[in-house]
Amino acid sequence: MENPLFINNAISFQSRSSFLSLPLLIPALKTPTKARERKLIYTISKFYNISSSSGTRAMPSGEDNGAVRNFKLNESTFLASLMPKKEIAADRFVEAHPEYDGRGVLVAIFDSGVDPAADGLKVTSDGKPKILDVIDCTGSGDVDTSTVVKADDSGCIVGTSGNSLVVNSSWKNPSGEWHVGCKLVYELFTSTLTDRLKKERKKRWDEKNQEAIAEAVKQLDEFDKKHTKVDDTNMKKNREDLQSRVDLLRKLADSYDDKGPVIDAVVWHDGEVWRAALDTQSLEDEPERGKLAEFLPLTNYRLERKYGIFSKLDACTCVLNIYNEGNILSIVTDSSPHGTHVAGITSAYHSKEPLLNGVAPGAQLISCKIGDSRLGSMETGTGLVRALIAAVDHKCDLINMSYGEPSLLPDYGRFVDLVNEVVNKHRLIFISSAGNNGPALSTVGAPGGTTSSIIGVGAYVSPAMAAGAHTLVEAPPEGLEYTWSSRGPTVDGDLGVSISAAGGAMAPVPTWTLQHRMFMNGTSMSSPCACGGVALLLSAMKAEHLPVSPYSVREALENTCIPVGGSPEDKLSAGQGLMQVDKAYDYIQKLHAVPSVRYQIKITQSGKSAPTSRGIYLREADFCQRSTEWTVKVEPKFHDDASNLEQLVPFEECIKLHSTGEGVVKAPEYLLLTHNGRDFNIIVDPTTLSDGLHYYEVYALDCKSPWRGPLFRIPITITKPQAVKSRPPLTVFKGMSFVPGHIERKFVEVPTGATWVEVTMKTSGFSTARRFFIDSVQISPLQRPIKWESVATFSSPSSKSFSFAVEGGRTMELAIAQFWSSGVGSHDTTSVDFEIEFHGISINKQEIILDGSEAPVRVDAEALLLLENLAPAAVLNKVRIPYRPVDSKLSTLSAERDQLPSGKQTLALLLTYKFKFEEGAEIKPYIPLLNNRIYDNKFEAQFYMISDTNKRVYAMGDVYPETAKLPKGEYTLQLYLRHDNVQYLEKMKQLVIFIEKKLDEKESIQLSFYTQPDGPVIGNSSFKSSVLIPGAKEAFYVAPPAKDKLPKGVAAGSVLVGAISYGKVSFGVNNEGKNPEKNPVSYSVSYIVPPTPIDVDKGKGSSSTCTKSVAEQLEEEIRDAKIRVLSNIKQSTDEGRSDWKKLSISLKSEYPKYTPLLAKILEALISQNNFEDKIHHYEEIVGAADEVIESIDTDELAKYFSIKSDPEEEGAEKTKKKMDTTRDQLADALYQKGLALAEIELLKGKKVVDKEDAKAVEGSSTQPDLFEENFKELQKWVGVKSSQYGTIFVIRERREGRLGTALKVLSDMIQEDGSPPKKKFYDLKISLLEEIGWAHLVSYEKQWMSVRFPPSLPLF
């Protein structure tokens, strides 16, 4: 395999469709979704912070940042718009300072992985290597290479896949030890690349399969022409065989499922470094390509900066890193194009087209892959922590992270703690995306928008970007924030968005996309744009020997921004504004003599010690109707290496405090601040404010250096809601006018007692289609913001209706925004009327728990607002089964990847759980303590794997478990937890998890309702519905499910869970109560499964007295005890085998005709696997099987099964059981004898005949066939095509040359078996396919073997 990469079809800038038709990664396009459903969407996408082309209008932002009117694009301005730099003044800065283009700066890209072969990412502007390291921090590409082998005389080794591999004789390996492992290659590829490869491979496979079908049809046709009449039995079987071949090939074409080829990996030490090579023959068309010996060996990228590709077909770059003394090989590929795109925006360098350069083309990078390929590129705790370790280890200057999600608690969690350490101690500057969940307030995501030590970046679009990159017919007149860019404040009042930068670009993408670059937009793009801008500043600071500190850089950025928008409230969208590199540089030059300090703000309401916050956020009506006093503690924080005497003691600042709203926010005028900090009070009086959004700041100026601008800011956000006083409770907003990008924010105090709203939106006044975001947000303590969102497209003036849940007594923000690009050029103003009607049924129980008894649960329902239809509906449609671990292992992880910057070692706890399903099930693990939190979680990481007894992995996941379909069988769930605190992990050793099984429609239980407590037992007084009158309570009972309705096999202690709803909306939902979750408001209902009833009839039928004497009973007990001793003898040693043989001979002489003994001896012989003389071993099995057969009276057995016995007759059940057992023993003996005869036949190369029979027919032309005779005898007793005995039928058909019939029966056996696949069946299938000559099917089945029967479980 060669390292140069295969690249095809660079994007054409003249064609719109060449890039706009490309699908964006996880676009933030919204669908009408209830808030609780949207939470699931977060768990799936965990927004990369990429979005579709949409945005939010802002006010003019200056003539130098792309906000120009009536401009025309030319080629240069068009190309420049594709990689925006003018907006943040990066172009001017580099033009003025060409050597400050990022040189000397190292940036860590925390993302989905960066392709080192991508266009523009090979070298810097001054010729240095662009990417210094490429690391998979997630472990998703790890291969277990702990198996060590040695080459034979011909230089061959056997890989863990079973393939024979030829080692290149020129490779140095002084020890002669080769570490081997293997990997399913699709596990390394993105779904997009996998889909492309599957299409290509399916096309080739179809061609070969069609050839095989054509040949099989030809053979069948020739047979039919040659044999016009088929009367002979053998002739019929031969024709059936040919027909089976045709049918099989056609069926396989329909069921084809490409799980991908397996690649072998080999690792060795060449005397200096560890090296690795891959065998990728399975990816190649030509048999001579992709061989191990042809691979150019690679070592860790950091050492030699070399990479490879798997094949020209995939064109996918890979990097190999070796860890743990050669026992782990990390194959690094990207998990999406996102990371390469982000890296390109930061620092791509194109010598021939500088307009397409990234912001800092001179900067160098390390790629830290945090997007786990096993989870579709979602980040994991392991990936995040290892990335921080790598950034510190490489002495990076900057980190960019364009990942995030909503969080429960801002500025909290294990990752946040480690980020604080990296920023405060190691002086890295951390920049991250704010999120794509706008336009509503309080939608910033973690960590970028919620963490104090991270610079969160919003997404801005300029007119030039709109006209060029977005190819709009008419650009907006001013620059503005994209509509979807997340807004502040955080739930604890912090601003959320620090600064803004250009939020879209045409940037490099990986080579496997078969193009040079792609357009994406989102805060994922604005973050690296800002990061590149900061790299320019650091480049200048390093060149001029100015001290670098994240504190001073942040101060310079925030105090030199150009405001986006003309009102104070616009800061919640764009932060301090659009960053300006040149102005920040000027600021930093003046700042170098000022100590680097960050100002930690902690605010509490006066008289209270908790909760603390970073801003003041008055959102609820109560706070907006009175004056409140707040205590602010300001603490100057220095870097950890600051000197006590030289920096901390002398620090003293005279600060003048300013309020931007003197009539509302009052603060002291001056403050003398020392290192130990200072408290002061702020009074906020919103009583005179109008309804709506108001934003103020208290900011601090240095009296000696007022030019610095604010040293710190205290954001004060007030969302004064309007009260709903009308009855029925109805709020109408009429005649709202919208132009592209305009946002209307309405704040309403949701009436107490309201639980859902019904909304109607009516539009008018336009001629072309209009697109709107409609968001609703409420904030409740210790919850993620409760958000409902929808996108509504109006092709013509019309109305749409929505319904969603609300929480009574809390402020609801309703944000309505016309897309920034929707309606541009039409110049029509859209008029919108918005009507909100509040509904509600208040209940006394938020969660219904049925305790397993027969008693129902009473529910009190009340309508406080207006008449409501009370129509309860409840369903139990899932069962949660609790499990405790059967094993726990605590280990210390390798220091290579898992030693924290503090020097602490990361520990891992591996918990093992076992469970079993008697039939196929759709399941999901549920870990209440850990699920649904990644950033706001004090545990570092969690990851689980579910595998069957063959080690096949059926499901993997982390904090957001997903549903998996499992066939019946036994399973193991391994849960992997990480932390550096051993006490935390010790407490988790008995962690309870649930396996949540989805019930199908037949098993789901619809609960009943009654007006009386005895209703469930008596069966009367059922309750269906009624009308609730405001102020009047009504009660009813929720009945537990009937015991005979419980799903089969549900154990005591399991919990049936589902949903219950009480009301009906006037539109949109009509499911007749079958699915309460379709209602806008539903609640949890659960039922604890009680112990099973005692079977009082058990044992009644076996009360007959025993007729045997005590001596006979004793003799039987002794006999059975001896047999048990024989069964327990281990035959793994020579001594054990000798003891077993002696005892078996002794027992046979003592009980010569006792069938159970003889069956046990046969069973033991079959289980032996350490024999040398195979023929003798199989002859012993034949002899033992004959002894079992001879011990059974087959005539008596046949007579019993030919006569239908009376089951009510005394002793009939016992007799039946005995006869069934005897028949099974006979059938098993015949079956094992047949298998042994077939093996002897194969070893001798001729049919096995009985010696006595052979003498009897000596001289005759027909020799007796012992196998055939045995088969016919077996056929009398059991179905020989069943999965239990079908192997013998397959062997028989194979002996007769009817391979098609053999394959058909074998395929049916495999399908009917149902339990985890048996390897012997698939080995037999492959051998039949090889014999029949269908090479493409042999290859296909061998690939599947690695899926069904992997050599080991994958690494975590």
Side-chain angles (χ1 to χ4, degrees):
M1 185 170 74
E2 299 296 330
N3 285 332
L5 294 159
F6 175 69
I7 300 173
N8 187 26
N9 294 337
I11 201 158
S12 167
F13 294 111
Q14 282 71 42
S15 168
R16 286 184 60 186
S17 62
S18 63
F19 53 88
L20 288 183
S21 61
L22 291 168
L24 297 176
L25 298 177
I26 313 178
L29 297 179
K30 308 182 182 182
T31 52
T33 315
K34 288 180 282 190
R36 58 180 177 276
E37 292 173 337
R38 183 61 185 174
K39 186 176 181 182
L40 176 61
I41 295 171
Y42 293 149
T43 70
I44 295 169
S45 71
K46 301 183 78 173
F47 64 87
Y48 270 140
N49 294 336
I50 305 176
S51 182
S52 61
S53 55
S54 53
T56 305
R57 179 180 178 83
M59 296 299 289
S61 50
E63 61 182 6
D64 293 325
N65 61 357
V68 293
R69 296 174 180 267
N70 303 320
F71 66 94
K72 292 287 184 183
L73 289 175
N74 55 37
E75 183 179 0
S76 295
T77 56
F78 169 65
L79 291 177
S81 76
L82 301 179
M83 185 65 82
K85 295 181 281 290
K86 182 181 180 66
E87 285 71 8
I88 62 170
D91 58 342
R92 291 201 305 269
F93 181 80
V94 173
E95 187 177 341
H97 309 283
E99 293 187 356
Y100 297 169
D101 63 349
R103 297 175 202 189
V105 177
L106 183 57
V107 183
I109 304 294
F110 288 14
D111 217 286
S112 61
V114 180
D115 182 356
D119 189 43
L121 294 179
K122 298 183 182 68
V123 296
T124 64
S125 57
D126 56 346
K128 293 179 181 177
K130 174 62 71 175
I131 300 177
L132 300 186
D133 205 355
V134 178
I135 310 162
D136 178 6
C137 301
T138 68
S140 58
D142 284 4
V143 181
D144 183 353
T145 51
S146 59
T147 301
V148 179
V149 298
K150 294 208 171 188
D152 60 20
D153 295 337
S154 60
C156 289
I157 59 175
V158 177
T160 52
S161 69
N163 293 330
S164 179
L165 309 170
V166 179
V167 174
N168 190 317
S169 59
S170 68
W171 293 346
K172 294 179 182 178
N173 184 354
S175 70
E177 294 183 341
W178 305 91
H179 292 247
V180 293
C182 64
K183 187 82 168 174
L184 282 164
V185 77
Y186 285 175
E187 293 177 359
L188 301 168
F189 293 164
T190 67
S191 59
T192 306
L193 175 55
T194 299
D195 290 344
R196 173 164 69 79
L197 290 180
K198 283 184 174 182
K199 287 178 183 176
E200 295 284 344
R201 286 164 56 84
K202 177 69 161 60
K203 183 180 177 183
R204 296 200 303 263
W205 189 88
D206 281 342
E207 290 171 357
K208 294 174 182 176
N209 200 56
Q210 284 302 318
E211 289 175 8
I213 291 173
E215 179 60 28
V217 170
K218 180 184 174 184
Q219 291 176 6
L220 180 61
D221 189 47
E222 288 174 353
F223 181 92
D224 288 340
K225 287 178 180 177
K226 187 175 179 180
H227 307 283
T228 53
K229 272 193 173 184
V230 184
D231 298 327
D232 179 71
T233 302
N234 282 333
M235 295 293 286
K236 285 182 179 178
K237 289 181 177 179
N238 290 339
R239 193 191 182 286
E240 286 173 7
D241 174 65
L242 294 173
Q243 183 64 55
S244 294
R245 297 184 185 207
V246 176
D247 295 343
L248 271 169
L249 288 166
R250 287 174 175 165
K251 186 177 180 181
L252 283 167
D254 295 332
S255 62
Y256 177 88
D257 183 12
D258 180 13
K259 290 295 181 183
V262 174
I263 56 172
D264 277 289
V266 179
V267 175
W268 70 96
H269 199 280
D270 69 359
E272 296 179 359
V273 296
W274 286 98
R275 295 199 178 273
L278 304 178
D279 183 280
T280 59
Q281 289 183 82
S282 53
L283 273 166
E284 300 283 359
D285 282 336
E286 301 172 24
E288 297 304 311
R289 293 186 64 86
K291 289 185 176 180
L292 176 72
E294 295 176 358
F295 192 95
L296 185 63
L298 300 174
T299 187
N300 288 23
Y301 187 90
R302 187 176 187 176
L303 299 178
E304 296 181 353
R305 293 188 293 276
K306 292 181 180 178
Y307 53 84
I309 60 170
F310 295 96
S311 70
K312 286 187 176 181
L313 179 62
D314 56 76
C316 182
T317 308
C318 67
V319 163
L320 304 183
N321 293 322
I322 301 113
Y323 303 107
N324 197 17
E325 293 299 311
N327 291 319
I328 295 176
L329 171 65
S330 174
I331 304 177
V332 190
T333 57
D334 60 78
S335 57
S336 85
H338 185 266
T340 302
H341 194 274
V342 164
I345 294 172
T346 305
S347 69
Y349 172 63
H350 302 279
S351 58
K352 295 181 180 179
E353 188 48 83
L355 288 172
L356 294 177
N357 282 350
V359 180
Q364 293 178 294
L365 308 173
I366 68 165
S367 168
C368 298
K369 177 182 173 182
I370 62 170
D372 197 303
S373 296
R374 298 168 293 189
L375 306 178
S377 198
M378 283 169 41
E379 73 270 48
T380 62
T382 299
L384 291 166
V385 173
R386 282 181 175 169
L388 287 174
I389 293 169
V392 173
D393 179 51
H394 282 75
K395 294 181 170 56
C396 291
D397 302 292
L398 273 164
I399 295 171
N400 182 84
M401 179 172 156
S402 293
Y403 268 68
E405 66 171 30
S407 68
L408 179 74
L409 297 168
D411 211 27
Y412 170 90
R414 170 72 170 164
F415 180 66
V416 172
D417 294 341
L418 294 174
V419 168
N420 291 339
E421 179 186 337
V422 165
V423 172
N424 300 330
K425 181 178 180 180
H426 300 280
R427 297 178 177 245
L428 275 75
I429 300 170
F430 200 128
I431 298 174
S432 185
S433 47
N436 296 337
N437 274 338
L441 301 183
S442 301
T443 52
V444 285
T450 62
T451 307
S452 293
S453 56
I454 295 177
I455 299 173
V457 187
Y460 171 89
V461 58
S462 69
M465 291 168 62
H470 287 282
T471 61
L472 295 185
V473 174
E474 183 178 323
E478 300 108 5
L480 58 152
E481 290 290 296
Y482 282 100
T483 306
W484 35 254
S485 188
S486 290
R487 268 67 177 180
T490 61
V491 294
D492 69 339
D494 191 42
L495 188 60
V497 184
S498 301
I499 58 174
S500 287
M506 179 75 70
V509 286
T511 56
W512 60 259
T513 63
L514 307 185
Q515 62 190 84
H516 278 319
R517 51 188 60 85
M518 182 187 293
F519 181 75
M520 300 183 197
N521 60 178
T523 54
S524 276
M525 283 65 248
S526 62
S527 182
C529 179
C531 184
V534 175
L536 300 180
L537 294 177
L538 297 190
S539 183
M541 293 172 76
K542 287 188 168 189
E544 297 178 8
H545 306 292
L546 300 176
V548 175
S549 164
Y551 307 157
S552 57
V553 169
R554 181 170 191 154
E555 181 182 326
L557 290 173
E558 293 184 346
N559 285 341
T560 57
C561 286
I562 295 175
V564 178
S567 68
E569 290 74 25
D570 287 316
K571 281 196 173 187
L572 297 169
S573 297
Q576 302 306 326
L578 189 62
M579 70 175 286
Q580 299 294 293
V581 177
D582 55 350
K583 294 179 180 179
Y585 169 65
D586 294 339
Y587 187 99
I588 283 173
Q589 284 186 311
K590 296 179 184 178
L591 195 66
H592 70 276
V594 178
S596 297
V597 177
R598 69 181 172 93
Y599 299 86
Q600 180 176 283
I601 306 294
K602 290 185 178 179
I603 304 172
T604 56
Q605 191 172 357
S606 295
K608 296 182 179 180
S609 59
T612 61
S613 63
R614 295 171 295 163
I616 298 173
Y617 193 5
L618 305 184
R619 186 176 175 98
E620 304 307 326
D622 175 57
F623 278 100
C624 296
Q625 292 165 3
R626 58 187 171 91
S627 178
T628 51
E629 187 174 6
W630 304 82
T631 300
V632 179
K633 183 174 181 61
V634 181
E635 290 185 81
K637 296 291 184 180
F638 291 77
H639 287 292
D640 292 1
D641 58 358
S643 166
N644 286 345
L645 291 175
E646 294 179 11
Q647 292 175 279
L648 273 60
V649 172
F651 178 81
E652 190 171 272
E653 288 180 333
C654 180
I655 288 174
K656 181 169 174 55
L657 297 175
H658 294 264
S659 169
T660 61
E662 289 288 350
V664 179
V665 180
K666 295 179 180 179
E669 288 189 31
Y670 288 93
L671 197 68
L672 185 64
L673 190 61
T674 63
H675 165 251
N676 289 318
R678 190 69 191 275
D679 293 359
F680 63 92
N681 285 2
I682 291 177
I683 296 174
V684 182
D685 183 3
T687 55
T688 60
L689 294 176
S690 60
D691 295 341
L693 173 63
H694 305 273
Y695 178 80
Y696 305 98
E697 285 181 354
V698 171
Y699 62 91
L701 297 181
D702 186 344
C703 294
K704 294 180 180 179
S705 305
W707 61 267
R708 290 174 62 184
L711 304 183
F712 60 84
R713 299 172 177 87
I714 299 166
I716 298 104
T717 307
I718 303 168
T719 57
K720 192 170 186 179
Q722 70 176 59
V724 181
K725 298 178 180 178
S726 64
R727 288 295 181 269
L730 186 70
T731 299
V732 179
F733 303 106
K734 281 189 172 292
M736 293 183 290
S737 296
F738 286 87
V739 295
H742 179 65
I743 301 174
E744 284 283 349
R745 301 185 189 277
K746 302 297 182 182
F747 298 89
V748 181
E749 181 186 359
V750 177
T752 301
T755 53
W756 80 91
V757 297
E758 297 178 8
V759 173
T760 300
M761 179 177 177
K762 184 179 180 181
T763 59
S764 61
F766 58 93
S767 55
T768 57
R770 294 290 186 270
R771 198 174 190 205
F772 285 87
F773 276 174
I774 307 123
D775 286 3
S776 166
V777 171
Q778 288 185 285
I779 294 177
S780 195
L782 294 180
Q783 291 187 46
R784 291 179 176 179
I786 304 164
K787 186 180 182 190
W788 172 88
E789 57 185 7
S790 180
V791 168
T793 300
F794 295 85
S795 55
S796 61
S798 57
S799 62
K800 294 180 184 292
S801 296
F802 316 95
S803 63
F804 52 90
V806 293
E807 188 174 330
R810 294 199 173 274
T811 296
M812 173 185 73
E813 178 195 1
L814 183 69
I816 309 161
Q818 184 174 327
F819 262 23
W820 71 275
S821 58
S822 177
V824 169
S826 72
H827 305 291
D828 293 333
T829 298
T830 307
S831 179
V832 173
D833 294 340
F834 217 88
E835 182 180 283
I836 307 171
E837 186 174 28
F838 293 91
H839 293 263
I841 296 177
S842 296
I843 54 170
N844 63 327
K845 289 182 174 65
Q846 292 293 313
E847 182 179 1
I848 303 295
I849 300 175
L850 298 159
D851 58 13
S853 70
E854 284 69 25
V857 172
R858 194 189 86 246
V859 174
D860 297 339
E862 183 180 15
L864 299 180
L865 303 175
L866 70 166
L867 293 173
E868 297 288 1
N869 288 317
L870 176 62
V875 64
L876 299 171
N877 52 15
K878 292 183 283 287
V879 58
R880 288 180 183 160
I881 309 163
Y883 292 93
R884 283 197 185 272
V886 298
D887 187 35
S888 64
K889 291 179 181 177
L890 191 63
S891 61
T892 303
L893 298 176
S894 166
E896 251 179 316
R897 289 197 284 183
D898 295 306
Q899 187 174 47
L900 298 171
S902 63
K904 291 182 180 179
Q905 200 67 36
T906 305
L907 306 171
L909 176 65
L910 183 63
L911 301 175
T912 302
Y913 303 81
K914 300 280 188 181
F915 57 96
K916 182 179 180 180
F917 290 115
E918 296 298 337
E919 55 186 28
E922 196 172 323
I923 68 102
K924 181 173 72 172
Y926 174 58
I927 311 167
L929 177 65
L930 301 173
N931 284 165
N932 302 321
R933 293 183 295 136
I934 182 167
Y935 295 106
D936 45 355
N937 192 332
K938 286 293 184 179
F939 273 86
E940 180 175 307
Q942 54 184 290
F943 201 94
Y944 70 84
M945 272 190 255
I946 299 175
S947 58
D948 66 10
T949 53
N950 292 323
K951 300 185 181 69
R952 178 183 177 181
V953 175
Y954 279 85
M956 292 182 177
D958 66 337
V959 296
Y960 298 105
E962 293 189 359
T963 300
K965 290 185 178 180
L966 305 182
K968 77 172 186 178
E970 297 179 4
Y971 293 92
T972 298
L973 184 148
Q974 290 187 311
L975 178 63
Y976 182 75
L977 305 174
R978 291 165 47 109
H979 208 283
D980 64 345
N981 189 315
V982 67
Q983 293 178 338
Y984 292 173
L985 294 176
E986 287 284 355
K987 291 178 181 179
M988 306 290 276
K989 281 191 171 181
Q990 289 299 316
L991 180 69
V992 173
I993 70 165
F994 291 87
I995 299 297
E996 184 177 276
K997 176 186 173 185
K998 184 179 179 182
L999 303 177
D1000 59 34
E1001 196 171 338
K1002 292 180 181 178
E1003 291 180 308
S1004 296
I1005 303 170
Q1006 299 287 334
L1007 297 181
S1008 300
F1009 308 97
Y1010 295 89
T1011 58
Q1012 297 175 4
D1014 301 319
V1017 177
I1018 298 173
N1020 60 0
S1021 70
S1022 65
F1023 178 83
K1024 297 295 182 185
S1025 65
S1026 69
V1027 176
L1028 288 174
I1029 299 170
K1033 284 188 179 180
E1034 188 160 342
F1036 61 91
Y1037 291 91
V1038 183
K1043 300 299 184 286
D1044 59 351
K1045 298 292 185 183
L1046 297 181
K1048 184 181 176 183
V1050 176
S1054 300
V1055 183
L1056 294 170
V1057 294
I1060 183 169
S1061 64
Y1062 300 97
K1064 280 187 176 181
V1065 298
S1066 57
F1067 57 82
V1069 178
N1070 184 19
N1071 58 37
E1072 298 177 352
K1074 291 183 179 179
N1075 188 357
E1077 291 175 329
K1078 288 187 177 180
N1079 283 293
V1081 186
S1082 64
Y1083 304 89
S1084 172
V1085 60
S1086 59
Y1087 172 77
I1088 301 169
V1089 178
T1092 54
I1094 298 172
D1095 188 357
V1096 295
D1097 296 325
K1098 189 175 181 180
K1100 282 186 177 179
S1102 56
S1103 58
S1104 57
T1105 56
C1106 181
T1107 57
K1108 294 180 181 178
S1109 67
V1110 173
E1112 289 173 325
Q1113 291 180 52
L1114 181 60
E1115 187 179 344
E1116 286 182 359
E1117 290 289 340
I1118 294 170
R1119 177 198 66 200
D1120 293 344
K1122 290 178 179 179
I1123 295 172
R1124 283 195 296 274
V1125 171
L1126 178 68
S1127 300
N1128 290 332
I1129 295 175
K1130 305 293 182 185
Q1131 298 188 61
S1132 54
T1133 63
D1134 290 339
E1135 184 182 358
R1137 284 189 291 275
S1138 176
D1139 291 342
W1140 180 87
K1141 193 167 186 178
K1142 288 177 184 176
L1143 182 56
S1144 65
I1145 292 170
S1146 171
L1147 291 178
K1148 274 202 293 184
S1149 63
E1150 192 174 354
Y1151 309 108
K1153 292 293 183 180
Y1154 187 56
T1155 305
L1157 167 65
L1158 300 174
K1160 284 290 181 185
I1161 292 172
L1162 174 61
E1163 182 183 322
L1165 282 170
I1166 293 165
S1167 67
Q1168 290 179 4
N1169 54 15
N1170 49 2
F1171 46 83
E1172 294 181 2
D1173 188 343
K1174 290 185 178 181
I1175 292 178
H1176 175 70
H1177 172 71
Y1178 289 121
E1179 285 176 342
E1180 278 190 314
I1181 290 175
V1182 171
D1186 282 337
E1187 289 177 343
V1188 174
I1189 295 165
E1190 290 166 6
S1191 71
I1192 296 171
D1193 187 340
T1194 54
D1195 292 336
E1196 182 188 352
L1197 197 63
K1199 183 179 178 182
Y1200 173 82
F1201 284 107
S1202 65
I1203 301 172
K1204 189 174 182 180
S1205 58
D1206 183 3
E1208 300 295 326
E1209 189 177 333
E1210 187 176 349
E1213 186 178 344
K1214 186 177 180 181
T1215 304
K1216 183 179 184 304
K1217 185 178 179 181
K1218 178 184 175 183
M1219 288 300 186
D1220 284 343
T1221 302
T1222 304
R1223 180 188 59 189
D1224 291 345
Q1225 290 168 338
L1226 174 63
D1228 189 59
L1230 290 166
Y1231 175 67
Q1232 297 297 341
K1233 179 182 177 181
L1235 295 180
L1237 289 170
E1239 290 293 339
I1240 295 169
E1241 191 174 282
L1242 190 65
L1243 293 167
K1244 288 184 174 180
K1246 59 181 180 179
K1247 292 184 178 180
V1248 182
V1249 297
D1250 186 273
K1251 292 178 181 178
E1252 297 298 324
D1253 290 345
K1255 287 179 182 178
V1257 295
E1258 195 171 346
S1260 170
S1261 59
T1262 306
Q1263 290 289 328
D1265 186 340
L1266 202 56
F1267 176 89
E1268 186 64 24
E1269 290 175 0
N1270 183 79
F1271 176 82
K1272 289 178 178 177
E1273 183 64 25
L1274 176 64
Q1275 205 171 21
K1276 294 177 183 177
W1277 299 102
V1278 291
V1280 290
K1281 292 185 181 180
S1282 67
S1283 60
Q1284 187 174 357
Y1285 302 106
T1287 304
I1288 203 80
F1289 184 88
V1290 173
I1291 292 171
R1292 186 214 190 195
E1293 292 302 296
R1294 187 178 196 170
R1295 292 172 83 247
E1296 299 298 328
R1298 296 190 287 264
L1299 302 178
T1301 305
L1303 269 171
K1304 182 180 183 301
V1305 172
L1306 181 58
S1307 298
D1308 291 342
M1309 287 165 53
I1310 290 170
Q1311 191 169 353
E1312 291 168 9
D1313 193 29
S1315 58
K1318 295 182 175 65
K1319 189 172 184 294
K1320 62 180 182 179
F1321 286 171
Y1322 290 94
D1323 287 335
L1324 181 56
K1325 185 176 184 179
I1326 289 172
S1327 68
L1328 288 170
L1329 291 170
E1330 287 175 332
E1331 190 171 341
I1332 210 169
W1334 290 339
H1336 69 295
L1337 291 180
V1338 172
S1339 174
Y1340 174 74
E1341 287 296 335
K1342 283 184 176 179
Q1343 288 174 15
W1344 260 99
M1345 290 293 277
S1346 298
V1347 177
R1348 296 185 180 106
F1349 311 102
S1352 62
L1353 286 170
L1355 300 173
F1356 282 96

